[in-house]
Amino acid sequence: MRKSDNSKRHRSPDTAIPSKNRNGKKYTQSPKRARMSQSSTPANGMVASSRAQTGPRKITIKKLRSISNQSIPDNYINEVWVRLEETIHAIYEERPVPYSRNQLYREVENLCVNQMGPKLYEKIEPILRDVIRVSFEAHFDTESVTNKGFLKQLESCWNKNYEQLILITSIFGYLHCTIQASGKDSLWDLGLKIFKENLKSNDDSKTKFLERTITQLLQEIENERQGEAIDRTVLKNIIRMLIDLQLYSEDFESKFIFETTKLYQICSKTRIQDGSFSLPEYLDYISLILTQENDKILHYLDSTTRKLLNPCIRKQLIEDHIDAIINKGFDDLLRADRIRELLMMYDFLCSVKNGEDKLREAFENFIKTEGYELVRYPEKDKTMIKELLDFKKSIDLIISQAFKDNDKFIISMKKGFEKFINMRQNKPAEMIAKYLDAMLIAGHKGTSSDEELDTNMDKIMVIFRFIYGKDIFEGFYKQNLSKRLLHGKSASVDAEKAMLIKLKQECGPDFTSKLEEMFKDIELSVDLSHTFKEQSQKRLTLDMSVYVLSKANWPTYQCAKVIMPVELSNSLDNFQSYYKSNYSGRTLEWQHSLGHCKLKANFKVSSKELHVSFFQALVLLLFNSTNTITFQKISEITSIDIKQLKMTLIALTMGKVKVLQKSHKGTNIEDDTEFIYNENFNHHLHSIKINQVQMKESEEENDKTRTKVIYDRNMQMDAGIMRIMKTRKKLNHSNLLGELSDQTNFPIRQGDFKKRIENLIEHDYIKRNEEETNVYEYLA
C-alpha cells in the first residue's frame, strides 16, 4: 500500500497552532496577519508595541497572561462546555453561532492553560462523532444511494463537512498543543477519521457508501472512455476526498489500474492480432490512448497514479505485442521514410522492456536484407553505388530524425552495411572505384561547387569504410587514375589530391604511397618534356609530349610493338637519346597503347582537327597515300595486334564520328574487308574527339586487374605467414589465421588460406606437426 503525503497536501486552514519561542514562552501563530496599532493589547494577553523610528521596527512579545487554577470557579468548565457544545451543534446544523468566536477561542485557551485540555477533548469526541454521523445520514436517503446523483450528493456532504471542520478547528485550535504530547488525533484528523468510518459503514447492504463510491467513479471513467461527457469537477472532488481519507491508493487506485489493464488487454488483441488496424493506425491509437489517460491525471486523478497508469497501458498495448508490432509493417515504414510513425514507434518501444533491443535488431536485419538486394544482381552493377548512397542517405535521415541519433542504432547500421556490402565479395569495391572515376572526370558538370564535390566524395568514403576488399578498390582506382592522368581526363587536380588525402586518412600512408608517386611522375614528366623541346626545337618535326612513368608505381601494361611512320619514329628516337644522355642506366619501354594524337584532316567540305588514339593515328596516316586499303594490308603495315586493330577500325567506321567507311555492313571484319577514306565527312565542330578505346574499360582489362590483386593477395599471405612462423616457430591453424587476418587489409577465406599453407608446405618453408596435423612448424 502506498501512502499519500496527505500532511502536505491537505492541512486545515486558519488553524492556530501553539508553539514556543526561544525563552520557552507560549504564543499563538495564526495564519491571518493581525493589524497592529502603535499601542494595542490583544485579548490573549500578548502586548505588541511599536514606535516610529528610522531603523527597523521592533516587536516585543511579553509573557503570556494566564488565569491560575485558583481563579477559575469549580463549574467554569461546565459553563464553557455548554457554550462550546451548543456552538458545535449550531455549526453542523447550519445555524448561526450565538457566541463570539474570539470569546470561544479565549475560553478554550484558558481551559488548556489550566490543564483542562484532556477533559475538554473527551467531551468533544463523542459530540463530534454524533453530529458528523447525523450530518452524513441527512445527505442520503434510500434512493440517492443508487441513482446517478450519488456522487454529487457525496461531494456536497464532503464539502460541508470540510467547511464545518475548518470552523471547529479554528475555535479549538489552542487544544492542539495540549493533546499533541498525548499522541491523540487532532480535531481535524479526528473529524476526517469519523467521516471515513461513516463512509466505510457496512451495517446496511444498501448503504455501502465506499464500495458504491468506487464503483460509480470507475463507471464514470469508463463512460468517458466511451466518449460520453462527464462532470470532471465532481470526480476531482471525490478523488481528493479519498486522498484526504487515505482511501485512494488501496481502495480506488488498485481497482482503477486493474480495470484499465483488463480494458486495454482486450483492445490490443482486437486491433493488433486480429489485423483490424494497420501499423500506422495502431501507433496513432496508442498515442491517442496515452494522451487521453494522462489527461485524466491532469484533470482529476492524483499525480502519483501516473507511475502505475503509464506502465500499465504501455505493457498491454506495446510490451505484450512487440514482435507483432514490428512484423506488422516496420520494414514498410522504413522503405517509405515514414519519419513520424517511426519516431512514435521508437518512443513507444524504447519505453518498454526489451523494446529497444528488438527494434534495433529488426532495423539491422532490414539494412542487411534491403542492402543485399542492391548489390547481389550483376545487371544492376552500374547503378549499385548510386543506389547505395541513396539508401545510406535514407537510413541516416531515419537515425537522425526518428531514432534520435541513438548510438546503438548507429552501431547496428554499421554492422548491417558491413554485412551486406561484403556478401558479394570484391564487386562493391570495384564499383566504388569506378564511381569515383566517373565523378572525378565529370568534376563540376555533376555538381554546383567545390564544396558539393567534396561532400560527395565524403559520402563515397562512408561506403568505402564498410568494404573489406580495399586492395580490390586500390587496384581499380590505380587503373582508372592512370587513364585520367595520362589522357588529361581529370576535371580538377585539386579534387584528385583531395581524394588522395581522404584515402590516406582512412587507410594510412602505405595505401596511397604509389598513387602519390603517380602524380609526381606526371609533374616531373611535364618539366622533362618542356626541357626536351627547348633543347631539340630545331630537330623536332612534331609537337610531342612524353610521360616517363616509374614501372613500380603504375599498373602493368602489355608492351605493343608497332611499325610507325618515319616522322613519328624519328621523334621517339630523339627523345630516347636525350633521356639516356641525362639519365644513364635507365631503360625506356614505350607504351604505345596509352598514346594519343591530334591530327589535322582535310575533307571536301572543310578541314577538321581530330583527337585520336595512337593506334587510330597510325591507321589514319595510311590514307595520306591511298583512299582505300584492306584490313590485311593495314595489319601488315602497322603490325598492330589483330584484336586491337579491329577495335580501332570499328571506332573509326561505326562510331558517332565516321571518318572511314567500310566495304560492307556489320561489325565483322575479314582480311579482305576494305576501308575507304570518307572525303564527304562533315561535322558541326572543328575539333572532334573520336571515341577513344583507351578510356573504355574492357572486361579483359577488368579481369587482369582482379587477377593482379588476387596474385598480390597470395604474395601478402605467403609473406605474412612466414613472418609469423619465423617469430612463433610453432602455431596451430586457427591462431595462425587470426594473426594473419590482423596484418592484412582484405578478408581471408578459409579455402585461400589452406591453399597458401599447402603451397608453403610443398616448398618446404613450413611443415605439419607429426602428432597434431593442425599445428604448423617453421623450417629454417
Side-chain angles (χ1 to χ4, degrees), residues 367-492:
I367 292 176
K368 292 176 183 177
T369 304
E370 202 75 6
Y372 184 55
E373 294 297 313
L374 302 178
V375 301
R376 66 181 297 187
Y377 300 109
E379 59 269 20
K380 298 176 66 176
D381 284 349
K382 290 183 179 180
T383 60
M384 177 194 299
I385 305 304
K386 179 65 170 62
E387 291 177 352
L388 283 176
L389 290 172
D390 293 340
F391 183 55
K392 180 63 169 56
K393 181 180 179 181
S394 173
I395 294 298
D396 287 343
L397 181 68
I398 290 170
I399 292 177
S400 173
Q401 296 186 10
F403 299 154
K404 302 178 180 178
D405 286 323
N406 188 315
D407 291 339
K408 294 181 180 180
F409 282 82
I410 294 175
I411 293 172
S412 294
M413 178 271 292
K414 292 179 179 179
K415 288 181 179 179
F417 268 85
E418 286 182 2
K419 180 67 176 179
F420 81 76
I421 207 169
N422 293 290
M423 291 175 73
R424 188 181 174 195
Q425 288 191 352
N426 302 333
K427 197 63 181 181
E430 175 185 336
M431 299 314 299
I432 289 174
K434 293 179 178 179
Y435 188 86
L436 276 172
D437 178 56
M439 181 187 296
L440 292 169
I441 289 175
H444 294 312
K445 293 179 182 178
T447 60
S448 58
S449 62
D450 291 337
E451 290 77 11
E452 186 176 349
L453 180 61
D454 188 71
T455 301
N456 290 338
M457 288 192 290
D458 286 336
K459 293 177 181 178
I460 292 292
M461 290 304 299
V462 173
I463 304 297
F464 172 76
R465 291 187 186 103
F466 299 133
I467 63 173
Y468 295 151
K470 290 183 171 58
D471 53 341
I472 289 285
F473 169 86
E474 182 186 8
F476 280 94
Y477 188 84
K478 180 191 289 187
Q479 183 74 30
N480 295 329
L481 176 60
S482 67
K483 292 182 179 182
R484 294 196 301 272
L485 294 178
L486 295 176
H487 297 285
K489 294 297 182 180
S490 291
S492 170

Side-chain angles (χ1 to χ4, degrees), residues 3 15-16 46 48 92-93 183 195 226 309 311 337 347 349-350 373 417 441 452 486 561 571 623 655 675 718 748 759:
K3 295 184 178 180
T15 303
M46 296 172 60
Y92 274 88
E93 292 171 7
F195 192 91
Q226 298 300 323
L309 181 60
D337 292 339
D347 288 337
L349 293 184
C350 288
E373 294 297 313
F417 268 85
I441 289 175
E452 186 176 349
L486 295 176
K561 294 184 178 181
S571 297
F623 289 90
F675 294 90
D718 289 350
I748 300 177
N759 179 66

